């Protein structure tokens, strides 16, 4: 998993930690203990953390969906793979194509992060 996706996932977990039904899993029975946040902690998450997570998700989604001129986009990776294949570097071309294929999965994960942020905001921040 790429570092930036891992960071988004961690941020989503931090943001979602305030949900009353979310908790740390027990290694034996997989039950969840409730997590309780103070009103100050919820306010800090709502005002500081969630906007940064949303901004990051938006920037990454925009980048992934960008055109061939946007470095890191799916289209850019496919163009680079074609250049490598034209140059005879099939190993590099295959690596780039696999990265391009994984972009769809990353978009799905980013969508789930956004859903969790939206749910937390609706439940705890008064945003609908």
């Amino acid at each position: 998993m790429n570092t930036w996706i891992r960071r988004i996932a961690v941020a989503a977990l931090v943001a979602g930690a305030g949900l009353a039904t979310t908790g740390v899993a027990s290694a034996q029975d997989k039950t969840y203990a409730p997590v309780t946040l103070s009103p100050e902690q919820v306010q800090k998450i709502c005002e500081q953390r969630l906007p940064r997570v949303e901004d990051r998700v938006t920037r990454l989604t925009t980048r992934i969906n960008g055109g061939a001129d946007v470095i890191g986009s799916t289209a850019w990776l496919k163009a680079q793979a074609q250049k490598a294949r034209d140059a005879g570097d099939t190993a590099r071309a295959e690596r780039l194509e696999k990265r391009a294929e994984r972009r769809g999965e990353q978009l799905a994960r980013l969508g789930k992060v956004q859903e969790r942020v939206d749910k937390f905001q609706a439940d705890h921040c008064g945003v609908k």
Side-chain angles (χ1 to χ4, degrees), residues 16-34:
L19 297 174
T21 59
T22 305
V24 178
S26 170
Q28 296 174 352
D29 59 5
K30 299 288 184 187
T31 59
Y32 295 96

Side-chain angles (χ1 to χ4, degrees), residues 34-45:
V35 174
T36 305
L37 295 175
S38 70
E40 295 82 19
Q41 290 171 317
V42 171
Q43 182 179 4
K44 185 176 182 179
I45 290 172

Side-chain angles (χ1 to χ4, degrees), residues 66-71 73 75-76:
D69 58 331
V70 178
I71 295 174
S73 70
W76 181 84

Side-chain angles (χ1 to χ4, degrees), residues 11-119:
L13 290 175
V14 169
L19 297 174
T21 59
T22 305
V24 178
S26 170
Q28 296 174 352
D29 59 5
K30 299 288 184 187
T31 59
Y32 295 96
V35 174
T36 305
L37 295 175
S38 70
E40 295 82 19
Q41 290 171 317
V42 171
Q43 182 179 4
K44 185 176 182 179
I45 290 172
C46 290
E47 292 176 357
Q48 295 176 8
R49 188 67 190 140
L50 292 183
R52 288 188 297 206
V53 172
E54 283 185 308
D55 180 54
R56 180 82 175 172
V57 167
T58 301
R59 285 186 292 126
L60 291 172
T61 302
T62 302
R63 180 173 150 203
I64 289 171
N65 290 328
D69 58 331
V70 178
I71 295 174
S73 70
T74 304
W76 181 84
L77 287 169
K78 288 179 180 179
Q80 294 299 311
Q82 186 59 44
K83 284 182 186 177
R85 192 167 306 287
D86 292 344
D89 191 353
T90 57
R92 182 169 188 265
E94 289 175 8
R95 283 193 311 270
L96 289 167
E97 287 170 355
K98 287 180 183 177
R99 282 178 60 193
E101 290 171 9
R102 287 193 306 262
R103 289 294 193 247
E105 297 168 12
Q106 292 167 340
L107 280 175
R109 282 192 296 255
L110 288 170
K112 289 178 184 177
V113 168
Q114 186 62 49
E115 288 174 12
R116 291 185 69 188
V117 167
D118 292 342
K119 182 174 179 2

